[in-house]
């Protein structure tokens, strides 16, 4: 449905599992893609696997010179930039005990780098008549979660960054949106669970209306949609790809509610 033929995309953080599916989906829709990530082994393997039209460049997004090289090389190789996906992230998080150094690093990778990358690609997008930026936010941006503190704060900042970028870049024909995935089968979740998808679906399933965690391909589909002309009147907004996580209130499927329903059915 989404045709990205003749489009050129940059994906930061594209070496990880979700990133690989995003790159595959953009490439599958016809786009040329440059991937920037500090993980050179997985990034290069991805480019080798997908072949023509996918380039990997080892890039630390906190380094302005490396970000500029990512953009300039893309323009030289593929003729311009139409799409930017800001996905690189770190999970540095010690809650209230987090050091200033870790706070600044997390903000740098998760928030500031995406803002700088967007500023760098904007003139190239404008030269081609417009473009699309997709920032990676998260369900963590919207609610308090016991496991996250710094990470959630950075993802909340991305939600507002998306809105202010959208208003600044609309006159240039550039749309800016974010996606907020729920729990998604990914490198961190795979590693945390020892690769046990059924276990994660059981634990995470109770938190998502659809009763399971998401697949990285499902996040990638949403990114491709937002990058395509199918989303031509969508900017400044967030697309939840979370199986209903963010629409659930405290009344989730679980023991207390089931006990109440059982009593009601028993008429007591
Ligand atoms: N896993 C989930 O369930 C989930 C849920 C919501 C949102 N997300 C978002 O999806 C994206 C991918 O996350 P993930 O969970 O797969 O984590 P991940 O750690 O596997 O992926 C992050 C990627 O960013 C790269 N990266 C880190 N620092 C970098 C730097 N300085 N320069 C360039 N690249 C750098 C890493 O090498 C990695 O490839 C993130 O933006 C994350 O917030 C993930």
């Amino acid at each position: 449905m989404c045709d990205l033929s003749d489009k050129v995309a940059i994906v930061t953080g594209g070496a990880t599992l979700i990133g690989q599916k995003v790159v595959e989906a953009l490439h599958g829709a016809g786009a040329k893609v440059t991937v920037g990530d500090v993980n050179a082994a997985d990034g290069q393997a991805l480019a080798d696997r997908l072949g023509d039209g996918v380039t990997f460049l080892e890039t630390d997004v906190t380094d302005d010179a490396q970000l500029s090289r990512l953009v300039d090389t893309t323009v030289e190789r593929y003729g311009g930039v139409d799409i930017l996906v800001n996905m690189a992230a770190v999970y540095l998080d010690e809650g209230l005990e987090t050091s200033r150094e870790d706070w600044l690093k997390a903000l740098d990778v998760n928030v500031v780098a995406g803002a700088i990358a967007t500023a760098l690609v904007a003139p190239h997008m404008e030269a081609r008549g417009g473009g699309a930026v997709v920032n990676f936010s998260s369900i963590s941006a919207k609610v308090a979660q016991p496991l996250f503190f710094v990470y959630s704060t950075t993802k909340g900042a991305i939600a507002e960054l998306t809105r202010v970028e959208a208003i600044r870049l609309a006159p240039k024909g550039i749309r800016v949106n974010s996606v907020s995935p729920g729990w998604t089968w990914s490198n961190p979740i795979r590693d945390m669970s020892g690769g046990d998808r059924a276990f994660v679906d059981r634990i995470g399933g109770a938190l998502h209306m659809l009763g399971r965690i998401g697949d990285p391909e499902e996040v990638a589909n949403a990114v491709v949609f937002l990058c395509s002309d199918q989303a031509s009147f969508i900017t400044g907004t967030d697309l939840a790809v979370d199986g209903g996580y963010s629409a659930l209130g405290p009344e989730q499927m679980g023991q207390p509610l089931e006990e109440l329903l059982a009593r009601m059915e028993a008429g007591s």
Side-chain angles (χ1 to χ4, degrees), residues 100-124:
R100 182 178 294 273
E101 190 185 355
D102 281 357
W103 263 110
L104 293 177
K105 170 86 178 176
L107 284 162
D108 201 359
V109 178
N110 296 8
V111 185
V112 179
I116 302 282
T118 301
L120 287 173
V121 298
H124 296 289

Side-chain angles (χ1 to χ4, degrees), residues 262-268:
R263 282 197 189 198
M264 284 165 65
E265 272 166 25
S268 59

Side-chain angles (χ1 to χ4, degrees), residues 13 15-16 18 36-39 59-62 87-91 105 109 136-139 151 155 181-184 186-189:
T16 195
I18 299 177
D37 199 300
V38 285
N39 181 346
T59 307
D60 181 342
V61 294
T62 64
M87 194 172 33
V90 288
Y91 287 90
K105 170 86 178 176
V109 178
F136 262 69
S137 187
S138 170
I139 48 171
Y151 173 78
K155 292 293 163 179
W183 291 26
T184 307
S186 53
N187 287 17
I189 288 188

Side-chain angles (χ1 to χ4, degrees), residues 19 41 47 53 55 57 69 115 167 173 202 214:
T55 299
L57 275 182
R69 188 182 68 118
I167 196 169
R202 185 164 57 78

Side-chain angles (χ1 to χ4, degrees), residues 6 14 27 33 63 65 100 123 130 134 147 155 197 228 230 250 254 256 266:
D6 304 324
H27 186 240
V33 190
D63 182 317
R100 182 178 294 273
V134 176
L147 289 181
K155 292 293 163 179
R197 173 70 191 259
S228 76
Q230 303 289 323

Side-chain angles (χ1 to χ4, degrees), residues 172-212:
K172 302 179 191 298
I174 301 169
R175 297 180 297 102
V176 186
N177 294 290
S178 59
V179 287
S180 284
W183 291 26
T184 307
W185 188 246
S186 53
N187 287 17
I189 288 188
R190 184 196 59 203
D191 296 347
M192 263 189 304
S193 65
D196 189 343
R197 173 70 191 259
F199 167 73
V200 185
D201 273 333
R202 185 164 57 78
I203 304 294
L207 309 175
H208 300 73
M209 288 181 186
L210 295 180
R212 62 173 175 85

